[in-house]
Amino acid sequence: MSQRQYFGTDGIRGAVGSFPITPDFVLRLGHAVGRVLRRAHQGAGRPTVLIGKDTRISGYMLESALEAGFSSAGVDVLLSGPLPTPGVAYLTRALRLDLGVVISASHNPYGDNGIKFFSAQGEKLPDEWELAVEAQLEEPPQWVDSASLGKARRLDDAQGRYIEFCKATFSAELSLKGLRIVVDAAHGAAYQVAPAVLHELGADVVAIGCSPDGYNINAGFGATAPQALVDAVRQHGAHYGVALDGDADRLLLVDGNGRLYNGDELLYVMVADRLRLGQAVPGVVGTLMTNLGVEQALARRGVPLVRAKVGDRYVLEELVARGWLLGGEGSGHLLALDRHTTGDGMVSALQVLQATMRSGLGVAELLADVTLFPQTLINVRLQPGQDWRRNDRLASEQAAVTRELGEAGRILIRASGTEPLLRVMVEARDGAVAQACAERLAAAAQAPA
């Protein structure tokens, strides 16, 4: 397979004003995607795409550039305005559109932005499609004539439609009445949607991180900065707090005691709820970073965990390949494929809250069987040309530590995909042991190969 030049693991992303996040390139990108759509759509009428975005100031510029690119290729455009990434995926499928487009850099600061795409089924697109778009980008543009230009219009009540979808994933026999819930939307795409979903299901809602100004997305709020949520839960005497990231596909949760729960723990709660209902859970997909304590707790309940590469894209691919439904990663990207085709922070929050309401137990009680292993991560800077795989001292030390830990811990050594760093992670029942073992491995990694 050819190497992708522009697409990363989650679309195209970068600093606004630097290639490729510039209006001229994004116009060309829209045109190239439109050309690929037109070829696949021959004889079936004019293709239609939905464009949604988060709350970054640069979204206006990139939205206009994409719209022009699609129109110039003869593709119609629907504009939703600010909408969570999973909301774009849902509406693309529900409205029988040909493509969903999201302008967002997720949890990154406002100076970054990106473009990602969903298929007509609301799913991530395969590498082959991305390669076809990149090939089209190398071709000269083929502007359509005036009679063939695409039209653009606003999609009325996109947020309302998505709110109803989220509510429909929550049991009709339950409500959130009696619960005070703080919701933190990171000043991002869910700033209107998230409070409305919880309020309409009966909760007393306190909203923070819901006042975007184009510059404050993810700044001190949301899933990447959860202390604001912890403080607000305590201040308002709330039962729970829900934190999303800038495009609302990631979830962290806080209980009334101010305890923060990560994605690994929330995934376990979702699995346990299915098992309590008598539903089969043939397996769960995590990542290389999923906590060993969660894996062992699942195993005690007869549920195997398979580890994919880090990234929700790879978790999704593994779930689809195995025909399983539940997966996720510690950062809060959670997947319930019988509820949605992609990771959805609000839907995941509702699954966890539903489990507490159905069982009458708090999240801490639902996690009573799970003891997380302390993890130590050390980044080792690699020298130019250094091949850590051929480091005999590291290999020897890794074998020794593996023997010492046995089933009471594990090692993960992997190269960063973006920096000249080797990431050395050790987890063990004893945090001091994890720290000592990680330091031994890091020292060995720095030795000459």
Side-chain angles (χ1 to χ4, degrees), residues 41 94 124 187 191 210 242 259 315 322 387 391 398 409 428 432:
H41 213 260
K124 298 284 180 72
H187 296 306
Y191 76 100
C210 291
V242 170
R259 178 177 167 185
V315 174
R322 294 175 178 271
D387 185 354
N391 186 327
Q398 183 174 357

Side-chain angles (χ1 to χ4, degrees), residues 378-380 394 397 413 422 424 436-447:
I378 299 177
N379 291 320
V380 178
L394 176 60
E397 196 68 54
I413 301 177
L422 187 66
V424 177
C437 290
E439 290 174 356
R440 285 166 54 188
L441 291 165
Q446 291 170 323

Side-chain angles (χ1 to χ4, degrees), residues 65-402:
L66 272 176
E67 179 186 334
F70 282 123
S71 177
S72 70
V75 173
D76 288 341
V77 175
L78 289 177
L79 302 170
S80 73
L83 192 69
T85 288
V88 174
Y90 162 68
L91 286 173
T92 301
R93 176 168 49 96
L95 298 176
R96 308 315 193 256
L97 305 177
D98 298 284
L99 191 74
V101 189
V102 179
I103 304 169
S104 176
S106 187
H107 55 278
N108 288 27
Y110 87 93
D112 292 344
N113 218 328
I115 316 288
K116 51 188 170 184
F117 300 90
F118 288 97
S119 72
Q121 290 74 43
E123 299 170 344
K124 298 284 180 72
L125 286 148
D127 292 343
E128 293 76 17
W129 182 88
E130 293 177 350
L131 289 169
V133 171
E134 294 206 353
Q136 185 62 51
L137 278 165
E138 301 305 313
E139 300 293 326
Q142 299 181 38
W143 317 113
V144 300
D145 60 25
S146 294
S148 303
L149 288 171
K151 299 177 181 178
R153 64 180 176 89
R154 292 280 164 186
L155 176 62
D156 293 333
D157 199 26
Q159 292 188 350
R161 294 169 187 245
Y162 174 61
I163 288 168
E164 290 304 314
F165 164 74
C166 290
K167 289 162 54 183
T169 67
F170 189 83
S171 173
E173 300 172 357
L174 299 172
S175 83
L176 297 176
K177 290 179 180 177
L179 291 185
R180 174 172 292 173
I181 300 175
V182 179
V183 61
D184 179 355
H187 296 306
Y191 76 100
Q192 292 178 309
V193 166
V197 169
L198 296 171
H199 172 74
E200 292 181 22
L201 287 172
D204 174 13
V205 179
V206 177
I208 66 173
C210 291
S211 302
D213 61 10
Y215 306 96
N216 59 0
I217 188 169
N218 299 312
F221 287 86
T224 57
Q227 188 59 47
L229 181 66
V230 173
D231 294 343
V233 166
R234 289 172 172 158
Q235 176 187 348
H236 293 280
H239 298 88
Y240 292 106
V242 170
L244 309 173
D245 64 338
D247 71 334
D249 63 356
R250 180 185 293 198
L251 165 73
L252 294 182
L253 188 132
V254 173
D255 69 12
N257 294 317
R259 178 177 167 185
L260 178 69
Y261 300 91
N262 66 21
D264 291 346
E265 296 169 293
L266 301 180
L267 176 59
Y268 179 87
V269 170
M270 290 165 58
V271 173
D273 186 50
R274 304 294 180 92
L275 294 175
R276 191 177 297 107
L277 292 174
Q279 298 176 7
V281 182
V284 171
V285 177
T287 74
L288 296 172
M289 296 298 292
T290 299
N291 196 282
L292 183 59
V294 171
E295 180 179 9
Q296 292 183 353
L298 289 169
R300 289 193 292 270
R301 305 195 68 161
V303 179
L305 180 134
V306 171
R307 294 179 184 272
K309 290 192 293 184
V310 174
D312 61 322
R313 176 192 185 110
Y314 302 113
V315 174
L316 178 59
E317 288 175 355
E318 193 69 39
L319 285 172
V320 171
R322 294 175 178 271
W324 295 352
L325 299 175
L326 299 176
E329 49 186 351
S331 62
H333 285 120
L334 299 171
L335 290 152
L337 295 186
D338 54 349
R339 299 293 185 267
H340 203 346
T341 56
T342 191
D344 189 317
M346 274 311 302
V347 169
S348 299
L350 294 179
Q351 295 304 294
V352 174
L353 292 170
Q354 184 172 254
T356 67
M357 300 300 288
R358 191 146 42 205
S359 65
L361 301 174
V363 176
E365 295 171 290
L366 294 173
L367 286 163
D369 296 334
V370 179
T371 302
L372 294 183
F373 281 38
Q375 293 182 338
T376 296
L377 175 65
I378 299 177
N379 291 320
V380 178
R381 185 159 294 277
L382 297 173
Q383 300 304 313
Q386 182 179 351
D387 185 354
W388 64 274
R389 293 182 180 83
R390 300 180 65 181
N391 186 327
D392 293 337
R393 181 179 166 188
L394 176 60
S396 175
E397 196 68 54
Q398 183 174 357
V401 171
T402 299

